[in-house]
């Protein structure tokens, strides 16, 4: 019984063979990009084509627009 537990624990602690043979890991940063869809661009590269923007850039622009709108309304209506 001890031999079975010992061999099982050794297998859990040892890294898999596929990790050892692959070499260094490549990290990719895809964010919200769909790998099968059209290529997304940065908002400053194509400012008139909003449908091609990266989703995180759309969020930042919308939040910035809300901030400008709220600040302008507060100044105009005098608070």
């Amino acid at each position: 019984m001890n031999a079975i537990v010992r061999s099982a624990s050794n297998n859990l602690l040892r890294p898999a063979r596929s990790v050892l043979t692959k070499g260094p890991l490549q990290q990719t940063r895809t964010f919200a990009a769909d790998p099968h869809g059209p290529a997304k661009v940065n908002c400053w590269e194509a400012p008139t084509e909003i449908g091609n923007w990266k989703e995180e850039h759309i969020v930042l622009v919308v939040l910035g627009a809300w901030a400008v709108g709220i600040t302008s309304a507060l100044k105009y209506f005098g608070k």
Side-chain angles (χ1 to χ4, degrees):
M1 183 70 171
N2 282 342
I4 294 171
V5 172
R6 193 176 308 127
S7 68
S9 66
N10 285 341
N11 289 338
L12 291 175
L13 296 176
R14 184 177 28 180
R17 290 188 186 275
S18 61
V19 173
L20 296 175
T21 58
K22 280 186 181 177
L25 297 176
Q26 294 282 331
Q27 182 180 8
T28 58
R29 296 184 64 190
T30 56
F31 292 107
D34 181 18
H36 302 293
K40 299 290 185 179
V41 296
N42 296 321
C43 61
W44 57 86
E45 292 174 353
T48 58
E49 300 173 10
I50 298 173
N52 294 337
W53 288 2
K54 294 180 181 178
E55 284 80 5
E56 54 269 15
H57 290 187
I58 293 171
V59 170
L60 292 174
V61 169
V62 168
L63 288 175
W66 272 101
V68 168
I70 291 172
T71 304
S72 300
L74 287 174
K75 285 189 181 265
Y76 181 76
F77 293 112
K79 178 165 186 193

